[in-house]
Amino acid sequence: MASRVTGYYSHTMRMRTALGVLAGVLGGLFLGALGVAQAPAAKVDVAVHAGRLVDGTGSAPRERVTVLVAGDRTVGVQDGWQTPPGARIIDLGTSTVLPGLIDCHTHITGEGTGGALVRAVTDMPVDDAVRSTAYARRTLEAGFTTIRNLGADGGADVALKRAIEAGIVPGPRIWTARTTISITGGHGDQGGLRPDLWVAPTWMDGIVDSADEARKAVRYQHKYGADLIKITATGGVLSIGDSGDAQQFTDDEMRAIVESAHLLGMKVAAHAHGKSGIQAALRAGVDSIEHGTYSDDETFRLFKEKGAYLVPTILAGKTVAELATIPGHFHPTVQEKAARIGPLIQDMFRRAHAAGVKVAFGTDSGVSTHGENAREFVYMVEAGMPPLAAILAATREAATLLGAADRIGSIQAGRFADLIAVAGNPVTDISELRRVTFVMKGGKVFVGR
């Protein structure tokens, strides 16, 4: 009986398949007779022959793959080295091809940590904007085709973003927070100057001292081009006069910021070192914690409960700890904090990864040298994260944090054609990502052939 049922089922399925094929053929003939054009295959402008492909989806690396590009988008990924008619061939057959990398924490309009007080009273946003064009090019040439810029005075990074989008200067795609939101005397408020030499900043400058001012500051940043909001939930290392770890905003102020930002479709990144400030920001609903230095097991559980990302910035911790050993480089209060807090971040990251906290790649570049962003990968792997997971933190996970996984962060049809290549295999030697040999952003080659 079973064999007769099976035979009947197989016969029925073959009939249905045959009828489906016939219907498709007849449908095509009918449409053709009516003069209705059927969609042609997409024209391919560029075919990239990859010796090895790490596509940013989490799939295992693949050998001998062709990435098909039309205009600024990837339109297909095929096994073998294909040669579509009329397509330009880019031969990366001895290289590893990856998605363009994403750095979720940069300060692209500045660089260096010395002389902060002098720069505060001599430099203008226009100076930052001009210098940022060099930093942006360096960042792109290092393989970072997208950045999330978390703070720039006067909207200088908005001007840079527009210039890059217009093709005037080369640089990465930018998600900008514009001006950081802080409390009076907090990490985002310039300290160390005589009050009579300084015009007191207001909520329009990102300095707030109530929930109502916080809401206005969020809306103001959105009005003038911010893609997300960055707050300083605790003190910081490089600011003068505040502790490095004490909570700064009240819970009510943080909730007001997050609610206002989310209503406008913007995410919130919270700079936070101390445990109480980290936990308050997580309870308020921020989307990411930057640094997270004093996080513990209780904090990691809260990260997971809230679904927030950690952006660890180990490179920044290493950089300020090294600079703190140079006499006179920092203001004395900054030097003490840099020496105490900087060395802690890598071990915190080790414990966070082991606890299963979601991680997105970020460096705090600007504290360190722009273009050296990939050093962060080495520190992440040193702390126990497998190389492929570190790569995903700078591709799939970073794109998800930005809310842009449908456009960037992976090599798939429909995404921007953001591709990089290295000579070796970063899955076995993560330091290969410090030696990028090819960069394509939006179908345009900036480094390499």
Side-chain angles (χ1 to χ4, degrees), residues 33-171:
L34 291 178
V36 178
Q38 298 183 68
K43 179 182 180 296
V44 175
D45 298 316
V46 178
V48 178
H49 291 175
R52 180 183 299 105
L53 180 71
V54 179
D55 65 12
T57 68
S59 298
R62 297 158 60 186
E63 307 289 329
R64 292 177 61 90
V65 176
T66 300
V67 180
L68 305 175
V69 176
D72 63 356
R73 302 279 175 158
T74 298
V75 295
V77 181
Q78 298 182 354
D79 291 329
W81 290 339
Q82 309 296 326
T83 308
R88 175 191 171 199
I89 304 299
I90 296 179
D91 182 6
L92 298 173
T94 61
S95 301
T96 300
V97 174
L98 307 95
L101 302 172
I102 303 168
D103 190 331
C104 289
H105 191 135
T106 70
H107 294 280
I108 198 66
T109 59
E111 185 175 89
T113 55
L117 284 178
V118 173
R119 292 202 308 272
V121 294
T122 56
D123 287 2
M124 296 183 292
V126 68
D127 295 305
D128 295 338
V130 172
R131 281 193 291 262
S132 72
T133 60
Y135 305 146
R137 181 172 196 137
R138 243 190 269 160
T139 301
L140 178 62
E141 290 176 348
F144 289 82
T145 55
T146 300
I147 60 172
R148 189 177 65 148
N149 201 60
L150 295 187
D153 291 338
D157 59 346
V158 177
L160 175 64
K161 174 183 176 177
R162 291 171 178 165
I164 291 170
E165 289 176 346
I168 297 169
V169 297

Side-chain angles (χ1 to χ4, degrees), residues 156-316:
D157 59 346
V158 177
L160 175 64
K161 174 183 176 177
R162 291 171 178 165
I164 291 170
E165 289 176 346
I168 297 169
V169 297
R173 308 177 194 283
I174 297 177
W175 267 253
T176 170
R178 202 173 181 273
T179 301
T180 299
I181 298 179
S182 173
I183 65 167
T184 296
H187 180 54
D189 187 13
Q190 179 66 53
L193 295 171
R194 283 170 41 187
D196 58 315
L197 298 178
W198 193 251
V199 177
T202 70
W203 57 268
M204 288 183 283
D205 306 298
I207 305 303
V208 305
D209 293 297
S210 70
D212 284 341
E213 287 188 344
R215 291 185 186 95
K216 288 194 290 186
V218 168
R219 293 164 183 166
Y220 187 85
Q221 297 309 316
H222 179 264
K223 176 181 178 179
Y224 288 104
D227 302 301
L228 71 148
I229 296 297
K230 191 265 188 88
I231 67 171
T232 57
T234 74
V237 171
L238 297 180
S239 45
I240 296 171
D242 67 353
S243 78
D245 53 6
Q247 180 175 334
Q248 296 194 333
F249 287 102
T250 66
D251 291 356
D252 187 44
E253 289 166 342
M254 279 197 267
R255 283 194 300 269
I257 290 169
V258 172
E259 289 168 2
S260 299
H262 285 178
L263 281 172
L264 293 170
M266 296 192 294
K267 296 192 176 188
V268 180
H271 156 106
H273 289 290
K275 175 180 173 178
S276 64
I278 295 168
Q279 293 190 353
L282 289 170
R283 288 192 298 268
V286 300
D287 300 280
S288 68
I289 295 291
E290 317 298 307
H291 319 305
T293 309
Y294 288 99
S295 296
D296 59 9
D297 289 344
E298 178 187 8
T299 311
F300 298 148
R301 286 192 292 272
L302 191 57
F303 264 102
K304 294 166 73 174
E305 176 188 328
K306 297 297 184 180
Y309 276 89
L310 170 67
V311 181
T313 68
I314 305 169
L315 176 57

Side-chain angles (χ1 to χ4, degrees), residues 295-436:
S295 296
D296 59 9
D297 289 344
E298 178 187 8
T299 311
F300 298 148
R301 286 192 292 272
L302 191 57
F303 264 102
K304 294 166 73 174
E305 176 188 328
K306 297 297 184 180
Y309 276 89
L310 170 67
V311 181
T313 68
I314 305 169
L315 176 57
K318 296 276 190 182
T319 299
V320 299
E322 292 167 2
L323 293 174
T325 65
I326 303 172
H329 182 83
F330 288 133
H331 185 280
T333 64
V334 172
Q335 183 174 10
E336 184 277 326
K337 289 186 291 183
R340 172 170 50 89
I341 295 174
L344 302 178
I345 297 179
Q346 189 175 33
D347 184 65
M348 178 280 303
F349 169 74
R350 177 188 61 78
R351 291 181 284 109
H353 170 61
V357 173
K358 294 194 299 186
V359 173
F361 182 99
T363 62
D364 211 356
S365 287
V367 173
S368 56
T369 302
H370 292 292
E372 288 291 316
N373 313 54
R375 289 171 58 194
E376 182 81 12
F377 287 113
V378 177
Y379 297 137
M380 293 167 80
V381 171
E382 281 181 359
M385 178 174 268
L388 184 56
I391 292 168
L392 290 173
T395 53
R396 181 185 68 189
E397 300 304 318
T400 300
L401 173 57
L402 290 175
D406 60 335
R407 287 165 282 163
I408 59 174
S410 62
I411 301 174
Q412 299 185 76
R415 275 65 171 179
F416 282 114
D418 295 350
L419 313 175
I420 69 168
V422 295
N425 184 357
V427 177
T428 56
D429 179 5
I430 197 66
S431 70
E432 285 289 339
L433 292 176
R434 297 190 64 187
R435 299 179 287 276
V436 170

